[in-house]
Amino acid sequence: MHTWAPALLAIAAALLIAGGTVLRQRSSASSGAITRGWWMGAGIALAGFGLQASALGLGSILLVQPLVVLAVLFALPLEAWADHRHPHANEWMWGAVLVSCVVAFLVIARPVATDRRPQVVIMGITIGAIIAGLIALVAVAERSCNRHHRALYYGLASGALFGVSAVLIKAVTFRIIDDPLSVFTKYEVYLLVPVIVLAVVAQQRGFGSGDLQTSFPAMNVMEPAVAMILGVVLLGENITVGVPATIALGLILALSVVAVVKLAKHAAIRGDQRVSVTADSMV
């Protein structure tokens, strides 16, 4: 399968996910409530998730997930249009850095899809352990009186769960390819649904925490990190490069994380500012 097909699907998914996320964030940032705008954003994001699933079915996680990260960049013009403003110069700067990092990573790494099927026992134990740890993290978040800590925990949990869902989608795709008639007898399908639901719930709790500067960046960093690590560990995806290229890829990934955090923080700060303006107008 040509890499351009999953790449285009991943970019389209990033665009829809960005639109859906912006709409949901703007609709629920003040209280975390589920509104009509939230449902509209959820529908758009769900369509993006469908495209992401298609991209994962056709290509490598190491190819798709870095491209889906561009959703943070696509949110820039969407938010600017909604706020009737122009993006700031530093936002475009970090956006250019993110695009450069993604392109450099894909050019150097040249990831390809793997045909290795995950071992059921190892995959079940690994994902089960991750979910158990995230449940404990959410429990700590619920007990925390510090909104900064609560937002961080929910952001980490949501991003990690979305990362797990990417690996499960890949596993379900393998099942469909091998034996489509028996796919609904496999545990991956039934594990995928609650994982996605828990991810959305944790994301919504993060949006409603009142500290989006913390939760939003955590979500955007954790999803690709968890997905790519699990892709390597459970699916055997890898890249064949030498030591200098490996060092370069490490630096590129580190810089891309910084760019994602910067862009997400800008978006979250604007979200808090809109909430403050709305609250002041109601007084």
Side-chain angles (χ1 to χ4, degrees), residues 52-270:
Q52 182 184 0
S54 300
L56 287 169
L58 297 175
S60 165
I61 290 177
L62 296 179
L63 167 69
V64 174
Q65 289 305 125
L67 290 172
V68 173
V69 171
L70 294 177
V72 183
L73 174 63
F74 292 153
L76 280 180
L78 294 174
E79 286 187 312
W81 174 78
D83 291 335
H84 306 288
R85 65 172 182 84
H86 296 289
H88 297 152
N90 58 347
E91 292 175 316
W92 284 124
M93 180 193 72
W94 286 113
V97 170
L98 179 59
V99 171
S100 300
C101 287
V102 171
V103 171
F105 174 83
L106 296 178
V107 169
I108 296 174
R110 301 178 68 86
V112 295
T114 177
D115 292 328
R116 171 180 162 184
R117 272 44 177 170
Q119 298 183 12
V120 175
V121 176
I122 295 177
M123 185 171 186
I125 293 175
T126 302
I127 292 180
I130 292 174
I131 293 176
L134 294 176
I135 291 175
L137 191 64
V138 169
V140 173
E142 284 292 330
R143 296 179 181 178
S144 176
C145 297
N146 186 310
R147 73 171 190 170
H148 174 80
H149 293 161
R150 187 165 59 251
L152 175 62
Y153 298 150
Y154 276 121
L156 292 174
S158 175
L161 286 169
F162 277 121
V164 170
S165 71
V167 178
L168 288 172
I169 289 171
K170 190 72 175 178
V172 170
T173 302
F174 283 144
R175 297 292 190 186
I176 294 174
I177 293 174
D178 293 339
D179 188 3
L181 296 179
S182 66
V183 66
F184 290 104
T185 66
K186 305 302 181 182
Y187 79 95
E188 293 96 340
V189 175
Y190 300 100
L191 184 58
L192 176 61
V193 174
V195 166
I196 293 176
V197 171
L198 289 173
V200 173
V201 171
Q203 185 183 55
Q204 186 63 22
R205 295 288 290 176
F207 286 166
S209 66
D211 187 15
L212 294 176
Q213 298 97 319
T214 302
S215 64
F216 198 44
M219 294 175 197
N220 287 280
V221 170
M222 282 298 289
E223 179 182 352
V226 170
M228 293 170 72
I229 290 173
L230 291 181
V232 172
V233 174
L234 298 178
L235 302 179
E237 294 193 0
N238 55 50
I239 52 179
T240 305
V241 294
V243 175
T246 301
I247 295 173
L249 287 176
L251 294 175
I252 289 170
L253 288 175
L255 183 57
S256 66
V257 169
V258 174
V260 168
V261 170
K262 291 290 186 180
L263 288 171
K265 278 190 173 182
H266 282 303
I269 288 171
R270 288 192 300 274

